[in-house]
């Protein structure tokens, strides 16, 4: 799916968000200092699960607004499918996890409140196999299920409020901006900073142990973890600037040894090369880096020299490069052959849909996606491509119905709200368009803008209609969400 999104210019500091969370943590610590914690639940005296969800939701909205997220249904589908296959074998899962990709060549991954796990595209392209990538996700899942951020807040309640503010700001900021986060940690007094670093190392050891169990129990090769650790250590051993991941996830030699020893406690698995993993890497290499003409040369050479793990992945990358270079016939030929070999593969379906739309072969796209929609109803790749194709074909009612049904089950899907806004705009339905645009702003945490859009939608709505009642109710909901954050 290849949509030119309207980029909203918003400048939001992660540090400011972290400071707001610090204030909340201090406030809760003061309110709860004389209350007994719930038996058997760690960190609850500082941060309840409900509060974690609220903070996680707030942070995710800020991340959407301030970081280069990859809003790509195919890659989102892949990383969430992989993540959820690991979640099924994890203990202490208290949330519906959300995995997302950031378009950044830095090697990094991080987890924060509410089950949100971010992965930089550079980490995925560095992994040699799916077990290596899965080992990183399993590690981050362990950070969440063991509630390491909440436990850190609880540990810091024994320090002074000023030190607590410095430490928590540094820890939270370090998740998404490690260099700034480490600077914030250094600004606290030395003794407390050292205690925090030691606590972080303890967390890392626990996350390694729990993550290894999740990885092995999910059917992946447990050696994926030490193999990835060893690769990172070798690549950055003599560099003056380590990758972001090593700033937040220190990697001493003892940790690599411990990881290798843990892996030996599980059966080693020799797994076949995973097609979707290789296609995800190919998509990142072709669509999100390099120039189209250079990419065509690169992938053509790979195929000629047979320098690939799976031939279809290099062919797919070449097809996407042809598409980016507006060589649509060449892209269609390759993608059609690939889809014939692997019917219903969503990577190939998505690429062929984009190609059909650029060639104005709308009927071909709609026919293909109508069949798949019956086979995989409410699959995000199929539904969003189907709705996008319907908009191109000026079948706006079809697009609207598809997106409305999809959003009932996936209310937080940014792409769906954006497409629905466009569908309403094309139909000249200003009330619905502004109401839908409000949801886009809300997902970015821009509540005042969202409420303004809803007021505009209200003014366009007909008198005494159900639409007006819904808009008024939504305004109240968003005002309450905004006030809830202020109260925190």
């Amino acid at each position: 799916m290849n949509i030119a999104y309207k980029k909203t210019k918003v400048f939001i500091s992660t540090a400011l968000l972290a400071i707001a969370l610090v204030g909340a943590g201090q406030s809760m610590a003061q309110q709860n200092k004389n209350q007994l914690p719930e038996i058997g639940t760690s960190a609850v005296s500082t941060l309840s699960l409900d509060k974690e969800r609220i903070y996680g939701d707030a942070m995710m909205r800020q991340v959407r607004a301030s970081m280069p997220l990859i809003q790509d249904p195919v890659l989102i589908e892949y990383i969430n499918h992989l993540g959820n296959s690991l979640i099924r074998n994890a203990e202490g899962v208290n949330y519906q996890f959300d995995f997302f990709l950031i378009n950044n060549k830095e090697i990094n991954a991080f987890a924060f409140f509410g089950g949100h796990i971010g992965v930089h595209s550079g980490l995925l392209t560095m992994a040699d196999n799916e077990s290596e990538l899965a080992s990183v996700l399993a590690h981050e899942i362990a950070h969440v299920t063991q509630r390491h951020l909440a436990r850190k807040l609880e540990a810091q309640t024994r320090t002074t409020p000023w030190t607590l503010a410095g430490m928590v700001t540094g820890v939270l900021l370090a998740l998404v901006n490690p260099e700034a986060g480490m600077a914030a940690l250094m600004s606290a007094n030395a003794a407390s900073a050292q205690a925090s670093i030691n606590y972080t190392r303890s967390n890392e050891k626990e996350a390694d142990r729990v993550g290894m169990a999740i990885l092995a129990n999910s059917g992946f090769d447990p050696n994926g973890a030490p193999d990835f650790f060893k690769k990172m250590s070798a690549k950055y051993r003599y560099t003056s600037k380590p990758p972001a991941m090593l700033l937040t996830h220190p990697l001493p030699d003892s940790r690599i040894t411990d990881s290798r020893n843990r892996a030996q406690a599980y059966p080693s698995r020799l797994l076949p090369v995973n097609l979707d993993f290789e296609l995800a890497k190919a998509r990142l290499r072709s669509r999100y880096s390099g120039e189209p003409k250079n990419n065509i040369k690169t992938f053509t050479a790979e195929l000629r020299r047979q320098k690939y793990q799976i031939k279809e992945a290099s062919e797919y990358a070449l097809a996407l490069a042809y598409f980016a270079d507006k060589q649509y016939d060449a892209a269609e030929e390759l993608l059609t052959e690939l889809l014939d070999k692997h019917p219903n593969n969503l990577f190939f379906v998505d690429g062929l849909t984009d190609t059909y739309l650029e060639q104005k072969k709308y009927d071909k796209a709609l026919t293909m996606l109508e069949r798949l929609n019956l086979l995989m109803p409410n699959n995000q790749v199929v539904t969003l491509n189907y709705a996008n194709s319907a908009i191109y074909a000026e079948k706006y009612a079809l697009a609207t119905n598809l997106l409305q049904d999809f959003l009932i089950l996936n209310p937080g899907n940014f792409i769906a709200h954006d497409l629905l806004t466009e569908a309403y705009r094309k139909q000249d339905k200003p009330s619905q368009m502004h109401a839908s645009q409000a949801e886009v702003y809300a997902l970015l945490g821009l509540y005042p803008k969202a409420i303004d859009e809803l007021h505009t939608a209200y003014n366009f709505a007909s008198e005494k209609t159900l639409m007006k009642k819904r808009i008024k109710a939504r305004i109240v909901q968003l005002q309450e969400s905004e006030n809830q954050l202020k109260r925190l």
Side-chain angles (χ1 to χ4, degrees):
M1 188 172 181
N2 190 46
I3 302 173
Y5 292 106
K6 303 178 291 295
K7 296 296 183 184
T8 305
K9 290 187 178 180
V10 289
F11 301 92
I12 300 172
S13 168
T14 307
L16 290 177
L17 175 65
I19 290 168
L21 296 182
V22 170
Q26 293 173 7
S27 176
M28 284 184 291
Q30 291 297 318
Q31 293 171 12
N32 298 333
K33 64 183 179 179
N34 294 319
Q35 297 178 12
L36 290 174
E38 182 181 331
I39 301 300
T41 304
S42 65
V44 73
S45 64
T46 299
L47 196 63
S48 69
L49 290 173
D50 284 342
K51 285 285 196 312
E52 278 199 43
R53 290 188 187 95
I54 293 170
Y55 291 153
D57 177 72
M59 291 181 73
M60 192 63 223
R61 291 174 196 269
Q62 305 291 348
V63 165
R64 287 193 198 101
S66 60
M67 301 189 74
L69 263 61
I70 295 178
Q71 297 288 3
D72 184 320
V74 188
L75 292 173
I76 294 170
E77 178 85 2
Y78 169 73
I79 200 70
N80 276 276
H81 176 77
L82 176 59
N84 286 323
S85 71
L86 296 162
I87 292 294
R88 285 194 291 269
N89 295 284
E91 297 179 359
V93 176
N94 297 304
Y95 330 93
Q96 180 177 341
F97 274 65
D98 170 43
F99 300 84
F100 58 95
L101 286 165
I102 298 169
N103 190 14
N104 191 320
K105 293 181 180 180
E106 281 274 353
I107 312 301
N108 197 20
F110 56 89
F112 57 85
F113 299 123
H116 298 281
I117 294 179
V119 180
H120 284 204
S121 57
L123 188 146
L124 200 157
T125 54
M126 182 182 179
D128 285 331
N129 55 62
E130 194 170 45
S131 289
E132 290 186 359
L133 174 61
S135 74
V136 177
L137 295 187
H139 179 91
E140 297 303 330
I141 289 168
H143 275 310
V144 176
T145 60
Q146 302 308 301
R147 302 190 67 197
H148 285 156
L149 278 181
R151 286 161 60 183
K152 178 168 284 295
L153 277 176
E154 187 168 47
Q156 295 304 326
T157 58
R158 291 187 290 271
T159 67
T160 64
W162 174 255
T163 303
L164 172 62
M167 297 308 301
V168 177
T169 299
V171 169
L172 293 177
L173 183 55
L175 293 173
V176 293
N177 188 342
E179 290 185 349
M182 292 302 141
L185 284 173
M186 293 304 293
S187 68
N189 70 61
S192 294
Q194 185 59 48
S196 176
I197 292 169
N198 288 338
Y199 190 75
T200 299
R201 287 172 181 161
S202 173
N203 288 348
E204 289 300 297
K205 187 173 182 178
E206 184 175 41
D208 285 345
R209 175 181 58 80
V210 174
M212 179 66 75
I214 294 171
L215 182 70
N217 293 336
S218 299
F220 293 97
D221 182 10
N223 291 301
D227 287 350
F228 194 77
F229 283 162
K230 186 176 180 181
K231 180 189 306 178
M232 287 193 70
S233 178
K235 184 171 182 177
Y236 296 103
R237 184 179 299 275
Y238 302 110
T239 58
S240 57
K241 182 183 178 183
M245 190 172 179
L246 293 188
L247 291 175
T248 52
H249 299 72
L251 191 60
D253 289 340
S254 60
R255 190 174 170 203
I256 300 174
T257 303
D258 289 344
S259 180
R260 183 69 67 190
N261 291 337
R262 287 193 189 95
Q264 290 175 356
Y266 298 92
S268 181
R269 292 186 175 93
L270 184 61
L271 300 174
V273 178
N274 183 278
L275 176 60
D276 282 353
F277 169 76
E278 294 297 333
L279 292 175
K281 288 183 65 173
R283 189 175 181 89
L284 286 170
R285 290 176 62 205
S286 187
R287 177 160 283 186
Y288 295 95
S289 63
E291 295 296 324
K293 291 190 184 301
N294 291 335
N295 285 344
I296 290 171
K297 292 178 182 178
T298 297
F299 300 127
T300 300
E302 280 185 9
L303 288 164
R304 185 176 65 251
R305 298 170 185 167
Q306 299 185 9
K307 296 275 189 178
Y308 46 72
Q309 289 280 359
I310 295 182
K311 182 180 180 182
E312 288 94 330
S314 288
E315 289 175 332
Y316 175 63
L318 179 58
L320 294 183
Y322 279 140
F323 176 87
D325 199 44
K326 300 184 179 180
Q327 298 185 44
Y328 302 125
D329 290 344
E332 180 188 7
E333 182 180 355
L334 264 178
L335 289 165
T336 301
E337 290 175 2
L338 289 167
L339 194 58
D340 286 343
K341 292 178 186 176
H342 302 274
N344 307 332
N345 183 290
L346 296 180
F347 283 91
F348 304 146
V349 167
D350 180 272
L352 193 53
T353 299
D354 288 345
T355 304
Y356 282 153
L357 296 184
E358 291 299 329
Q359 295 171 311
K360 296 184 170 52
K361 296 179 179 179
Y362 305 138
D363 288 343
K364 277 195 168 187
L366 291 170
T367 299
M368 175 178 66
L369 292 162
E370 182 181 20
R371 179 186 67 81
L372 288 169
N373 191 53
L374 293 173
L375 189 64
M376 294 178 267
N378 284 311
N379 173 277
Q380 68 174 314
V381 178
V382 174
T383 301
L384 297 177
N385 271 288
Y386 194 11
N388 191 44
S389 299
I391 292 172
Y392 269 80
E394 300 182 359
K395 296 181 182 292
Y396 304 124
L398 171 60
T400 300
N401 289 335
L402 286 166
L403 293 166
Q404 287 175 336
D405 289 346
F406 179 76
L407 284 167
I408 291 172
L409 297 175
N410 306 275
N413 190 287
F414 185 88
I415 302 171
H417 282 295
D418 202 43
L419 282 175
L420 187 57
T421 302
E422 179 67 7
Y424 284 136
R425 187 183 70 80
K426 293 283 189 179
Q427 294 175 83
D428 194 23
K429 293 184 175 181
S431 183
Q432 292 93 329
M433 181 192 73
H434 287 288
S436 185
Q437 182 63 49
E439 300 304 324
V440 175
Y441 284 136
L443 286 172
L444 298 173
L446 302 174
Y447 291 119
K449 280 181 173 288
I451 292 168
D452 283 347
E453 287 290 327
L454 287 171
H455 282 300
T456 304
Y458 184 88
N459 292 334
F460 275 110
S462 301
E463 288 295 327
K464 298 180 181 179
T465 61
L466 182 59
M467 180 72 178
K468 280 205 165 185
K469 292 180 180 179
R470 288 175 176 169
I471 292 171
K472 286 180 70 175
R474 187 58 177 149
I475 289 173
V476 172
Q477 286 179 335
L478 292 184
Q479 287 173 335
E480 175 56 27
S481 295
E482 186 177 23
N483 290 333
Q484 184 182 55
L485 285 179
K486 291 177 180 177
R487 288 196 300 271
L488 290 176

